[in-house]
Amino acid sequence: MASSGEDMSNDDDSHPAAAGMAGSAHLLGFSDEILLHILNHVPSTDLILNVRRTCRKLATLCLDKSLIHTVLLQKDYQASEDKVKRLVKEIGLEIQQLNMAGCYWLSGSTIEHVARCRSLVKVNLSGCHLTSLRLSKMLSALQNLRSLAIDVSPGFDASQLSSECKATLSRVQELKQTLFTPSYGVVPCCTSLEKLLLYFEILDRTREGAILSGQLMVGQSNVPHYQNLRVFYARLAPGYINQEVVRLYLAVLSDRTPENLHAFLISVPGSFAESGATKNLLDSMARNVALDALQLPKSWLNGSSLLQHMQFNKPFYFSFSRCTLSGGHLIQRVINGGKDLRSLASLNLSGCVHCLSPDSLLRKAEDDIDSSILETLVVSCCNLRHLNLSAAHHHSSEGLGRHLCQLLARLRHLRSLSLPVCSIADSAPRADRAPAQPVMHAVPRGFGKKVRIGVQSYPSPFSGQTVPQPSSVFWSLLKNLPFLEHLELIGSNFSSAMPRNEPAIRNSLPPCSRAQNVGDSEVAAIGQLAFLRHLTLAQLPSILTGSGLVSIGLQCQQLQSLSLANLGMMGKVVYMPALSDMLQHCKRLKDLRLEQPYFSANAQFFQALGQCPSLQRLCLVSRSGTLQPDAVLAFMARCLHVVVCHLFTGESLATCKSLQQSLLRR
């Protein structure tokens, strides 16, 4: 491929590649529309600094407005400081939207080059190195900015912001702000705010162990301006400091609720006590606004008649996670007795153990759901794209056509689905019957019979044998949802040993008895989802060989994120050979998370993992697990795109430190 200016002047027909491809299809022979679609998948740095220099036609196409108006550097780990500076120099004046979220490897001086993109309307600098003075200098030059995302770290001082910077902020309509210290950040300067997204990541203690206060720092007590606010979103990490600071933000809202408020969402792990100010805010919202999206802490909804008085316009998002919302309340107060809610796109009922049952709160885990409640939900919310019913026991009765999977199969627009494992079981296990064996790839094993090392314990998918397609309700459900992109099957009693935004629970509960009926054949059914991108499987005790994982690897070629936890019998990792075979086919896998006690991260595992050329992040959580340091080093040397490698096993601290030092020296 040519790279010099002289070569670029050649006609497309005389291009060496074109000459070699005479009489056959050639890339440059496609229409401009198709080429632009292809180039849209090329990282911006490669597009401008490399592809553009190959020939005259591509030089023109690479500067098309559809490609350079929006530049995404997020998770582009090949974007070095030199490449970013050259990119900004060449097309900086044309960029209108720039996403640099999480570019932690770029220095502050490189980030400062964003000021040259004077046409910027939207910029995301979350996770970037920014000081108050550097932020002030950048924003002073971006007079057209309307959307901003930044971090507010310790040492931030709003008094250092220049008048030009504050003038830019006064025109910002959308702000995403991640707080690592008690502060209003730049919110008081944004007098035209319509959308405010707040992420509270403040630690209760400093690194030195000192206890922090939730009071705002000196000079940070300016009152935010919410009069034009349409969307308010707050997500809190665990800790009382985060709750104290968010109350200061909400106190302003309680004084005067914005008339145009359409979305009010607060995500809080654990409990969050309701205060007088929040009660006034909710009462004001019930009287004065009609919402399209709602999410509140469970303590604000439990035992409250708030939903009965709340007004909704054309709702598109509801989240009632872990609320004591009964099926009767769901139908009467949310769906309004079967009201047409075709506008609703996302519904989160995670942890709502009574949401598919009658009003009685005395329901036991083994009791069946009321299918009529779910049917009303499906009929009313027929355009749902995201549904979460996890963290609850939703058991279906034996009635024909009344199974949860059969009813959910009517939601043809679903793209994201999260279910408890026990909800997809065909029938309840009987006392006189052992747990059901998988229909597909079942392995007859005698009492105490051991699996020979090096011999496959499941039939090869290439054996050529035709296996009858199972007729389980779960197979039928996925057959009717071919465009599903995100699927979670999580045990009702599952609790992660290392949860992200929840306190860790040491004493986990055993799996639900109905989950014993879900095995390898149900996992194999997931292979029908050709567009699946994200998959989570947790607490499936009846996994015998993991053969279903191979089917997923072979058929789900779009899979990018995989999370597996507590598969099979506790204390035994029976699916290791199948997982190794699966990974060989996961060419687009970027994120892998494994949580399995007694897992052996040996050379076989890391060799299989090395078959994933796109892998970027690996997390292994294994109580009493082991790892081979040499295998880890060989894996990291082979997979150059891996940027995160978290290994939490039972190895000694000395072994871990030695491995860490060896990795850092590479």
Side-chain angles (χ1 to χ4, degrees), residues 544-560:
L544 297 180
T545 65
S547 57
L549 295 175
V550 184
S551 300
I552 296 173
L554 284 169
Q555 301 175 61
C556 302
Q557 290 296 302
Q558 304 296 324
L559 191 64
Q560 297 181 6

Side-chain angles (χ1 to χ4, degrees), residues 18 34 46 159 184 204 251 271 309 354 365 426 465 501 513 521 617:
I34 294 178
D46 284 338
S159 64
Y184 276 132
D204 292 343
S271 60
H309 303 290
H354 309 297
D426 278 318
Q465 300 177 358
N501 279 325
S513 59
S521 63
R617 288 168 289 275

Side-chain angles (χ1 to χ4, degrees), residues 76-113:
D76 183 2
Y77 300 107
Q78 303 301 316
S80 64
E81 299 205 4
D82 178 63
K83 287 183 177 180
V84 173
K85 292 178 182 178
R86 290 166 56 196
L87 176 72
V88 171
K89 182 179 180 180
E90 296 204 22
I91 63 169
L93 295 178
E94 304 296 330
I95 302 176
Q96 294 186 1
Q97 297 187 34
L98 176 62
N99 188 344
M100 301 181 69
C103 292
Y104 57 87
W105 61 89
L106 298 178
S107 65
S109 58
T110 300
I111 300 296
E112 201 170 297
H113 280 66

Side-chain angles (χ1 to χ4, degrees), residues 347-369:
L347 178 61
N348 184 358
L349 296 173
S350 173
C352 298
V353 296
H354 309 297
C355 67
L356 298 181
S357 301
D359 292 335
S360 174
L361 299 182
L362 300 178
R363 175 181 182 268
K364 298 180 181 179
E366 60 271 16
D367 293 342
D368 293 336
I369 64 173

Side-chain angles (χ1 to χ4, degrees), residues 106-409:
L106 298 178
S107 65
S109 58
T110 300
I111 300 296
E112 201 170 297
H113 280 66
V114 173
R116 299 183 179 183
C117 306
R118 297 184 180 273
S119 300
L120 270 181
V121 176
K122 182 175 183 178
V123 62
N124 189 336
L125 300 173
S126 299
C128 296
H129 297 289
L130 277 178
T131 62
S132 305
L133 291 175
R134 184 164 281 131
L135 177 66
S136 177
K137 181 178 180 181
M138 283 188 352
L139 296 186
S140 297
L142 305 179
Q143 300 181 7
N144 298 314
L145 195 66
R146 295 297 180 269
S147 178
L148 173 66
I150 59 169
D151 293 347
V152 178
S153 303
F156 178 85
D157 187 358
S159 64
Q160 295 181 343
L161 302 180
S162 66
S163 57
E164 293 82 0
C165 171
K166 292 180 179 179
T168 298
L169 289 171
S170 67
R171 294 185 288 269
V172 168
Q173 298 173 352
E174 177 181 336
L175 175 66
K176 176 187 174 184
Q177 190 169 259
T178 303
L179 296 166
F180 295 97
T181 187
S183 171
Y184 276 132
V186 299
V187 174
C189 302
C190 302
T191 56
S192 302
L193 268 185
E194 295 183 4
K195 186 176 182 180
L196 178 60
L197 311 176
L198 299 170
Y199 295 80
F200 295 85
E201 300 285 347
I202 310 169
L203 299 177
D204 292 343
R205 294 175 179 268
T206 63
R207 291 185 176 181
E208 293 74 23
I211 300 177
L212 287 175
S213 170
Q215 297 299 319
L216 298 184
M217 297 162 50
V218 176
Q220 299 293 326
S221 58
N222 294 326
V223 178
H225 299 270
Y226 292 146
Q227 60 267 25
N228 299 317
L229 203 63
R230 297 174 58 87
V231 176
F232 181 90
Y233 174 82
R235 192 190 72 183
L236 282 67
Y240 74 95
I241 292 293
N242 292 312
Q243 296 187 10
E244 286 189 19
V245 176
V246 78
R247 290 186 192 278
L248 298 176
Y249 281 81
L250 294 174
V252 182
L253 274 176
S254 64
D255 291 338
R256 182 181 178 184
T257 306
E259 297 178 356
N260 296 322
L261 189 66
H262 285 273
F264 186 78
L265 306 103
I266 300 181
S267 175
V268 182
S271 60
F272 184 28
E274 191 176 18
S275 64
T278 56
K279 288 182 179 179
N280 294 337
L281 170 61
L282 296 177
D283 290 341
S284 176
M285 288 170 52
R287 293 192 307 268
N288 302 319
V289 300
L291 295 177
D292 294 329
L294 178 66
Q295 178 178 356
L296 296 175
K298 61 180 182 179
S299 56
W300 295 13
L301 286 174
N302 291 344
S304 170
S305 60
L306 175 65
L307 289 178
Q308 189 173 357
H309 303 290
M310 194 69 71
Q311 302 177 46
F312 300 108
N313 185 20
K314 291 184 178 180
F316 62 87
Y317 178 90
F318 282 147
S319 179
F320 305 109
S321 179
R322 302 192 182 278
C323 294
T324 56
L325 185 68
S326 68
H329 289 163
L330 177 65
I331 298 300
Q332 297 170 12
R333 300 179 181 179
V334 179
I335 305 180
N336 195 14
K339 179 183 177 181
D340 184 359
L341 285 181
R342 296 185 182 182
S343 60
L344 193 64
S346 180
L347 178 61
N348 184 358
L349 296 173
S350 173
C352 298
V353 296
H354 309 297
C355 67
L356 298 181
S357 301
D359 292 335
S360 174
L361 299 182
L362 300 178
R363 175 181 182 268
K364 298 180 181 179
E366 60 271 16
D367 293 342
D368 293 336
I369 64 173
D370 187 338
S371 299
S372 63
I373 294 176
L374 180 58
E375 187 169 16
T376 302
L377 174 65
V378 169
V379 172
S380 302
C381 310
C382 58
N383 290 327
L384 274 177
R385 296 176 62 87
H386 311 281
L387 178 62
N388 190 339
L389 294 173
S390 63
H393 296 271
H394 295 316
H395 299 166
S396 300
S397 59
E398 300 286 345
L400 183 64
R402 311 295 290 176
H403 195 281
L404 177 140
C405 290
Q406 293 172 320
L407 295 173
L408 293 183

